[in-house]
Amino acid sequence: MRNPRFRSETGRLLCTLLITVLGSALPAQAAPLEQQVTRYLKKEVNRYARTVGSQDVTIQLKSLPGDNDCDHPLQMSLNNPEQPVGRVGVSITCQRPQFWKARAYADVDVYLKLVTTTRLLNRDTPITARDLTRTRTSLRHLRQGYFTQAKAVIGQHSRRKIQPGTVLTPRMIEPAELIARDDVVTIVAKQPGFKASMKGIALENGHQGEKIWVRNLSSGKKVMARIESPHTVVTQF
């Protein structure tokens, strides 16, 4: 007569073997939908954050498609892969057990310390270090550029009235004018192998590198010249 304990142990071994064999034959189940979308968003948003020098990111899933079964890893793409900030849409595609498409949405913020004004700046105000600070700011509404270092802004002039606490963008500032209308300037005339200087008067305001009209005080002629430095313009003839 067989030992009952032997039969019990044999039965358990057979069950374990059967579960192992059957389990290995079953297809691996894909991760839950929310987990897959979250993982994908983190990867793509962190990739973008690295390109702008940030490690400060928040992601909040706002909507997911209904309970759609999918035993295959989902295919996903972003509606704005170049700058995935703000309200970000994720297109989702499943291939099996049946084909379906859906869309998820998330609120995404990537933060940087950006140059911000500390006081009211009127139009054409020279910007100094005391006018600036750096503030943790989301990039979601900044489509026209920004500054991360105050030294890039100091010495520039405001192009318009700027309220305190404003994140500065390139459109808000411009270089200081080197020459103003009616300034007396030195006109340097150049051509290969020859250089001459004469006095003139500026007929326009201008920044370094810009071309303005000036009048030669000796001849009375108007010439177009490039601003090289304060009180010096260069022309070719």
Side-chain angles (χ1 to χ4, degrees):
M1 182 174 179
R2 290 188 179 180
N3 189 329
R5 182 176 177 183
F6 174 78
R7 288 201 302 271
S8 176
E9 292 293 335
T10 302
R12 278 199 294 269
L13 287 171
L14 287 172
C15 287
T16 301
L17 181 61
L18 184 61
I19 290 171
T20 302
V21 172
L22 290 177
S24 63
L26 292 172
Q29 292 297 309
L33 177 62
E34 181 175 355
Q35 184 178 331
Q36 290 190 66
V37 174
T38 300
R39 187 188 306 132
Y40 174 75
L41 276 169
K42 283 182 177 179
K43 182 180 108 176
E44 293 301 311
V45 172
N46 284 320
R47 174 195 55 77
Y48 166 72
R50 286 192 296 270
T51 68
V52 297
S54 174
Q55 296 180 335
D56 190 356
V57 170
T58 62
I59 301 171
Q60 291 184 321
L61 274 175
K62 290 298 184 181
S63 67
L64 283 169
D67 294 331
N68 292 305
D69 292 331
C70 192
D71 61 9
H72 191 70
L74 298 168
Q75 297 173 357
M76 288 177 275
S77 62
L78 297 177
N79 62 341
N80 183 11
E82 297 302 316
Q83 193 174 12
V85 293
R87 181 173 168 82
V88 175
V90 183
S91 295
I92 305 169
T93 304
C94 176
Q95 299 294 337
R96 65 181 191 226
Q98 63 182 29
F99 179 85
W100 55 262
K101 281 188 174 183
R103 187 176 288 270
Y105 291 94
D107 271 344
V108 176
D109 287 286
V110 175
Y111 294 92
L112 281 173
K113 289 284 191 73
L114 301 184
V115 177
T116 309
T117 54
T118 59
R119 67 183 184 95
L120 175 68
L121 298 177
N122 289 312
R123 185 178 181 277
D124 200 29
T125 299
I127 300 173
T128 66
R130 65 188 177 87
D131 300 322
L132 307 172
T133 188
R134 293 202 309 154
T135 307
R136 179 178 181 260
T137 308
S138 171
L139 303 185
R140 67 162 55 209
H141 299 303
L142 297 174
R143 308 292 180 180
Q144 299 176 355
Y146 49 80
F147 298 96
T148 58
Q149 299 296 326
K151 64 183 180 182
V153 177
I154 293 171
Q156 305 275 330
H157 281 222
S158 52
R159 301 180 78 172
R160 59 176 177 80
K161 191 174 184 178
I162 303 174
Q163 296 296 327
T166 300
V167 175
L168 289 178
T169 70
R171 291 188 178 185
M172 296 179 185
I173 63 175
E174 62 185 359
E177 289 182 348
L178 290 187
I179 292 177
R181 181 183 173 89
D182 296 330
D183 278 356
V184 175
V185 297
T186 298
I187 303 172
V188 178
K190 293 181 179 180
Q191 67 176 10
F194 178 81
K195 179 178 178 180
S197 299
M198 61 216 74
K199 289 296 182 183
I201 188 164
L203 303 179
E204 303 177 89
N205 302 335
H207 307 100
Q208 184 166 12
E210 284 187 327
K211 289 185 176 180
I212 61 171
W213 286 105
V214 296
R215 189 179 301 280
N216 185 328
L217 291 179
S218 299
S219 65
K221 287 180 59 177
K222 280 173 53 176
V223 295
M224 180 68 73
R226 178 179 54 81
I227 298 175
E228 186 173 75
S229 63
H231 308 297
T232 302
V233 297
V234 177
T235 187
Q236 293 183 333
F237 66 96

